[in-house]
Amino acid sequence: MSTETLEFQAEARQLLELMVHSIYSNKDIFLRELISNASDALDKRRLAGLKDDSLKTDDPHIEIEADKEARTLTVRDNGIGMTRDEVVGLIGTIARSGTAETLRRLKENRGNKETKDNKENGESAELIGQFGVGFYSVFMVADKVTLLTRKAGEPTGVRWESDGDGTYTIETVEDAPEGTSVRVHLRPADEEDALYDYTDEGKIREIVKRYSDFISFPVRMGETTLNSMKALWARPRSEVSEEEYHEFYRHISHDWTDPLDIIQMRAEGTFEYEALLFLPSRAPRDLYQRDARHGLQLYVKRVFILDDSRELLPDHLRFVKGVVDAADLSLNISREILQQDRHIQLIRRRLAKKILASIKELMGKDAEKYRTFWREFGPAVKEGLLDRAEDHKAILDIASFASTAGEEPTTLADYVARMPEGQDKIYFMTGESRAQVENSPHMEAFRAKGYEVLLLTDAVDEIWVEAVRDYDGTEFQSITRGEVDLSSEEEPSAEEAGEYEAVLAWLNETLDDVKEVRLTTRLTSSPACLVSDTDGLTPALEKMYKAMGQDLPSVKRILELNPKHPLVSAVKAAHDKRPDDPGLSETAELLYGTALLAEGGDLADPARFAALLADRLSKTV
Ligand code: ADP
């Protein structure tokens, strides 16, 4: 049979190189990765067997064989196996997005390794965990790997071999058994480099026990089964160690960092299920990518059925990892059925409730962890405010927001508790950054008055504030929208209003880009600001809709003037004296432009604005 030599894809080659040069200290995990792959392959085969009898296998298991003489370790499964194309596609390439970026950072860390050892190693491990290097980790301990596989139901098998140097060979073999075996040709042991003797039975036992105990297929060495195979989610919390939970989490999530919280639940009665859920401690890179793989694993009576079941969670909790084991579903359930199944919808609602309740509990018992959670996942969770109204309260209860009250984010309950006498609304302002919002002229009167304002700077904030009216009865109010009603003593006096009538009317006519010009009390030190109509689109929303390709007419806003500002009173005085002065309309333009710039907006014609300004300045210097 002819042997072909192929090259690894460029990114795969880089990753291999990092593995060969061993970028982090825990090399034991290569065995866990191989067992995990074997277990996945057995799951897939069991599933295939449900649909096609001829693919069934009697004794699904994983076998480990060590040969001290030859210094090899072989992990064999009678799982689904791979076709030749699959071997080339799955083993020879890395298909995941974001890999190049991760590799770059891994490389950087490696460059730093000599100087700042441990921290960087930790981060490398996390990076690797994030994109599940899996199979390639064998090259930390191997100088050659031989993979022999035959896809269940296929007539021939494939032998793949590589010493990790950029190429591999592949050939068809006639007599391979169904399933996959991976033979690792071990490098000489070097305990100082944490490269142990992986032919040692004690070592193998220890690794399997530590990392793979919950694997639901027997992992055998000779006559002995090394793992207990107990479904972790079915065991009482008190009997399972933290370490076991963390290992399980790693197995299902490919995330190296420990989870923030573990949530276990059991529903009894007409529809029974058990769930074991994990809150990750960091957001995956693809959290906001529509086509990313999220969701839970679905089991039916301990049998693995589906990966990435998004149907089991509402979208805004898609980052939660874990397992749901339902007792009464059909083993043949498909994704299509899942989407419509009433029980699944019920489970989804119950899980969502439980998750939100657990996060609320976390807030109370571990503020630090809660803060991490919210920092990583808050924007995703807030998407839920666009969903079913009945969940709004629970989401708002666990939300926190940046605020003018301090550096730390605040909860709404705390905000409301701090509201001074006379304040009856939750004030907020949306924008792109804390600095931009905090320095906005709109803040002035609120600052003067001592009213706290929430600073909402996530993209999703622009949208949910349109959909949610109140928190527990206290209304939300944008400070850039409609008229603010802060206090009567600061109202522009009737006298002022009368005096300004003429200049306001003139400005209304002169400034085409604004809907209205009026006096305000919301400013203390700025001359002017722009506000949106109570029901008009905000500029950020307008931008968003346009970015999504919607064709909208530009929304005009209201220019508000501060009559206490010398510039505003001077414009008024000038207009009273010489209403026809052409220079006046330029001043009006400058006034409008300044208001736009102050809120971080874009001028329609920056060159003209600059010219007008330069002209004015040249008269004053
Ligand atoms: P991951 O397991 O994170 O997807 P790996 O690099 O470990 O990444 O494996 C890549 C793919 O190769 C797997 O997703 C699987 O499709 C296939 N594969 C690996 N090992 C086996 C095996 N023992 N049996 C069948 N397929 C396997």
Side-chain angles (χ1 to χ4, degrees):
M1 211 29 62
S2 75
T3 308
E4 253 190 282
T5 302
L6 297 175
E7 281 202 2
F8 285 99
Q9 165 218 34
E11 287 182 348
R13 223 166 38 230
Q14 287 180 31
L15 182 54
L16 270 171
E17 197 204 321
L18 286 167
M19 285 299 146
V20 171
H21 295 106
S22 186
I23 48 170
Y24 68 108
S25 51
N26 186 0
K27 300 184 175 62
D28 293 358
I29 58 114
F30 83 94
L31 186 54
R32 175 194 65 190
E33 295 297 316
L34 293 182
I35 292 174
S36 175
N37 281 347
S39 159
D40 289 348
L42 288 163
D43 274 333
K44 285 180 197 155
R45 174 142 194 191
R46 183 142 66 175
L47 214 56
L50 290 173
K51 295 184 183 121
D52 178 350
D53 262 352
S54 71
L55 299 180
K56 279 211 160 81
T57 169
D58 285 342
D59 175 28
H61 68 278
I62 299 162
E63 225 174 285
I64 299 180
E65 200 184 287
D67 184 334
K68 275 196 178 300
E69 297 293 290
R71 290 207 46 76
T72 60
L73 182 72
T74 305
V75 177
R76 189 175 297 124
D77 65 68
N78 52 349
I80 193 73
M82 286 175 271
T83 63
R84 183 195 160 96
D85 284 352
E86 282 169 344
V87 173
V88 173
L90 296 168
I91 306 288
T93 60
I94 304 175
R96 285 168 209 238
S97 57
T99 307
E101 160 70 2
T102 309
L103 282 171
R104 195 185 52 67
R105 290 183 52 196
L106 278 169
K107 272 215 149 129
E108 273 173 14
N109 285 353
R110 227 183 107 215
N112 291 338
K113 197 175 163 190
E114 270 97 74
T115 44
K116 303 180 234 160
D117 218 359
N118 286 332
K119 191 158 154 284
E120 257 70 30
N121 271 343
E123 210 216 351
S124 295
E126 277 178 30
L127 287 170
I128 290 175
Q130 267 187 15
F131 78 133
V133 17
F135 179 78
Y136 284 29
S137 60
V138 298
F139 286 101
M140 294 192 301
V141 301
D143 45 30
K144 185 166 79 178
V145 177
T146 313
L147 179 144
L148 187 65
T149 184
R150 178 153 69 97
K151 180 102 171 185
E154 293 288 322
T156 56
V158 188
R159 185 199 316 276
W160 176 100
E161 199 166 78
S162 175
D163 45 19
D165 66 350
T167 62
Y168 57 87
T169 60
I170 192 158
E171 65 186 310
T172 304
V173 286
E174 300 297 335
D175 54 354
E178 283 185 327
T180 303
S181 82
V182 178
R183 173 156 300 168
V184 185
H185 303 261
L186 293 161
R187 292 199 229 165
D190 175 2
E191 303 223 343
E192 258 176 40
D193 194 26
L195 184 61
Y196 299 101
D197 178 6
Y198 295 109
T199 59
D200 181 65
E201 196 180 319
K203 185 68 190 170
I204 295 168
R205 224 176 239 285
E206 174 206 317
I207 299 175
V208 173
K209 204 68 199 156
R210 174 144 37 99
Y211 294 116
S212 313
D213 196 51
F214 49 81
I215 293 285
S216 54
F217 302 96
V219 179
R220 293 183 194 138
M221 195 159 55
E223 297 295 299
T224 27
T225 297
L226 305 180
N227 57 331
S228 75
M229 291 181 278
K230 279 192 199 147
L232 219 59
W233 56 91
R235 290 161 61 188
R237 187 91 182 237
S238 56
E239 282 179 17
V240 182
S241 72
E242 202 72 352
E243 180 60 18
E244 282 176 286
Y245 280 125
H246 289 182
E247 260 328 306
F248 182 68
Y249 170 72
R250 269 172 226 179
H251 172 66
I252 58 171
S253 69
H254 298 276
D255 175 8
W256 199 269
T257 42
D258 288 341
L260 269 187
D261 202 11
I262 302 168
I263 303 166
Q264 194 164 20
M265 71 184 286
R266 171 193 297 268
E268 273 154 8
T270 47
F271 192 71
E272 289 182 17
Y273 61 90
E274 290 160 322
L276 178 59
L277 309 177
F278 298 88
L279 296 184
S281 50
R282 52 198 282 172
R285 277 161 205 278
D286 57 7
L287 183 57
Y288 299 101
Q289 277 166 23
R290 279 294 137 210
D291 53 352
R293 293 165 44 177
H294 298 298
L296 304 177
Q297 290 190 341
L298 177 65
Y299 281 70
V300 172
K301 297 191 236 9
R302 310 278 180 271
V303 178
F304 172 79
I305 303 291
L306 281 177
D307 231 335
D308 310 320
S309 307
R310 290 186 82 142
E311 298 77 10
L312 291 168
L313 290 172
D315 244 16
H316 57 276
L317 299 175
R318 59 188 175 273
F319 50 84
V320 175
K321 302 281 182 206
V323 170
V324 172
D325 189 345
D328 309 303
L329 288 177
S330 148
L331 286 176
N332 282 316
I333 193 158
S334 67
R335 261 181 219 284
E336 292 68 42
I337 298 177
L338 211 56
Q339 278 160 14
Q340 292 148 23
D341 190 275
R342 255 181 3 94
H343 291 308
I344 295 292
Q345 286 164 15
L346 215 69
I347 295 183
R348 176 171 57 214
R349 232 170 288 157
R350 294 270 294 275
L351 293 184
K353 260 211 178 97
K354 176 77 180 179
I355 293 166
L356 293 177
S358 304
I359 297 165
K360 194 166 176 185
E361 222 172 276
L362 189 66
M363 278 173 114
K365 70 177 188 222
D366 193 331
E368 182 67 33
K369 277 190 177 167
Y370 161 74
R371 268 200 294 277
T372 305
F373 169 79
W374 193 254
R375 187 188 65 226
E376 295 291 315
F377 300 108
V381 174
K382 284 187 283 189
E383 290 171 20
L385 294 170
L386 309 172
D387 249 20
R388 306 156 51 84
E390 65 176 79
D391 296 336
H392 289 179
K393 168 80 163 67
I395 293 174
L396 291 174
D397 270 341
I398 60 154
S400 46
F401 304 96
S403 136
T404 52
E407 286 306 310
E408 289 298 322
T410 177
T411 61
L412 292 172
D414 288 345
Y415 178 104
V416 171
R418 277 192 299 269
M419 281 176 17
E421 186 84 15
Q423 181 183 349
D424 57 357
K425 292 201 168 78
I426 299 172
Y427 291 111
F428 68 87
M429 179 170 166
T430 58
E432 274 165 27
S433 68
R434 180 174 179 131
Q436 183 220 44
V437 175
E438 233 175 355
N439 297 325
S440 153
H442 295 100
M443 282 291 170
E444 292 171 6
F446 290 85
R447 199 173 290 126
K449 197 101 189 114
Y451 284 179
E452 179 177 350
V453 178
L454 299 179
L455 313 167
L456 308 185
T457 54
D458 289 326
V460 63
D461 292 330
E462 298 284 352
I463 313 174
W464 76 257
V465 296
E466 304 287 322
V468 180
R469 256 183 53 106
D470 67 280
Y471 169 66
D472 219 7
T474 312
E475 268 180 53
F476 289 103
Q477 169 70 54
S478 164
I479 66 164
T480 65
R481 240 182 189 200
E483 308 223 28
V484 285
D485 177 19
L486 281 184
S487 135
S488 50
E489 71 216 58
E490 288 176 19
E491 287 280 286
S493 60
E495 191 187 324
E496 245 170 10
E499 285 173 13
Y500 272 82
E501 206 171 310
V503 69
L504 290 178
W506 170 77
L507 282 168
N508 262 320
E509 214 161 283
T510 309
L511 293 171
D512 283 340
D513 292 341
V514 301
K515 183 175 171 194
E516 190 194 332
V517 183
R518 68 187 179 207
L519 296 185
T520 186
T521 57
R522 77 174 96 211
L523 300 174
T524 58
S525 49
S526 297
C529 68
L530 287 159
V531 300
S532 297
D533 230 349
T534 323
D535 49 4
L537 276 185
T538 60
L541 268 186
E542 193 185 334
K543 228 194 226 164
M544 240 176 327
Y545 282 126
K546 286 194 169 150
M548 292 189 301
Q550 292 202 27
D551 197 17
L552 291 174
S554 274
V555 181
K556 292 186 176 178
R557 289 192 297 154
I558 298 160
L559 179 66
E560 291 196 342
L561 302 180
N562 173 8
K564 306 225 164 23
H565 194 282
L567 176 58
V568 174
S569 47
V571 169
K572 177 192 158 293
H575 180 262
D576 286 349
K577 262 190 249 154
R578 353 170 219 109
D580 298 323
D581 181 350
L584 257 185
S585 63
E586 288 174 9
T587 312
E589 243 178 274
L590 283 168
L591 193 60
Y592 169 64
T594 316
L596 204 55
L597 284 179
E599 63 170 26
D602 297 324
L603 295 165
D605 187 350
R608 179 176 161 79
F609 183 84
L612 284 178
L613 189 63
D615 181 48
R616 282 306 160 89
L617 288 175
S618 64
K619 289 175 186 152
T620 60
V621 285

